[in-house]
Amino acid sequence: LSESDRTLVSEFTFYTMQQMEPCILENSGNGARSMFAFGFPGLACKHCAGKPNARKFFYRTPDILSGNYAHIPNHVMSCKHTPFEIKQTLAGKKRVHQEQKQRLQRGSQRIFFNNVWDRLHKRKV
């Protein structure tokens, strides 16, 4: 994430995305993700990354990432490896999420997720 992206989304969304780290689709555990080539970039929960059954998120387009974003905070809040303090902070930010979202410029969240997508897909993870 870039600090310059902070103003494009609510504190809840930005903080949620700070709980992610870049990853790539590996040969093992491909399962339902067989539509993606090995090495495809994605996002991983940094709290359970490297542990068995770590949660990773792979999206074909930035629009799909934006449209399915709710899976990410849902995971962070339910992940047994996420520290309690982070869950508390996230819950607090969620309480003002809708109010903050209403004050954002129309289309800013789309720009944010396009930026995230571009950074993931233009770098080697």
Side-chain angles (χ1 to χ4, degrees):
L1 290 179
S2 172
E3 203 54 40
S4 63
D5 290 336
R6 186 180 287 273
T7 60
L8 296 173
V9 291
S10 70
E11 290 179 27
F12 172 75
T13 299
F14 195 82
Y15 190 72
T16 296
M17 294 302 290
Q18 286 179 312
Q19 309 312 307
M20 297 290 110
E21 63 185 21
C23 69
I24 57 169
L25 184 61
E26 298 168 346
N27 290 338
S28 61
N30 192 23
R33 296 183 182 98
S34 60
M35 67 180 83
F36 298 106
F38 296 123
F40 191 84
L43 297 166
C45 170
K46 67 182 182 183
H47 304 291
C48 62
K51 296 176 175 62
N53 302 314
R55 186 67 164 93
K56 296 179 180 181
F57 301 86
F58 297 96
Y59 299 103
R60 187 168 299 291
T61 68
D63 286 341
I64 294 172
L65 166 60
S66 180
N68 289 282
Y69 158 74
H71 295 283
I72 296 174
N74 290 345
H75 167 75
V76 173
M77 289 301 285
S78 66
C79 178
K80 65 183 180 181
H81 301 288
T82 301
F84 178 72
E85 298 77 26
I86 289 177
K87 290 180 181 183
Q88 275 188 311
T89 299
L90 200 57
K93 291 180 183 302
K94 187 173 185 173
R95 283 192 281 279
V96 295
H97 172 64
Q98 286 304 324
E99 179 186 326
Q100 288 180 349
K101 243 178 107 169
Q102 290 173 354
R103 286 189 256 139
L104 295 171
Q105 186 173 345
R106 184 167 170 78
S108 64
Q109 182 167 300
R110 177 177 292 236
I111 293 168
F112 174 82
F113 285 112
N114 281 338
N115 292 348
V116 169
W117 173 268
D118 288 345
R119 287 186 197 107
L120 272 177
H121 288 264
K122 288 181 180 170
R123 64 183 274 204
K124 298 288 182 203
V125 187

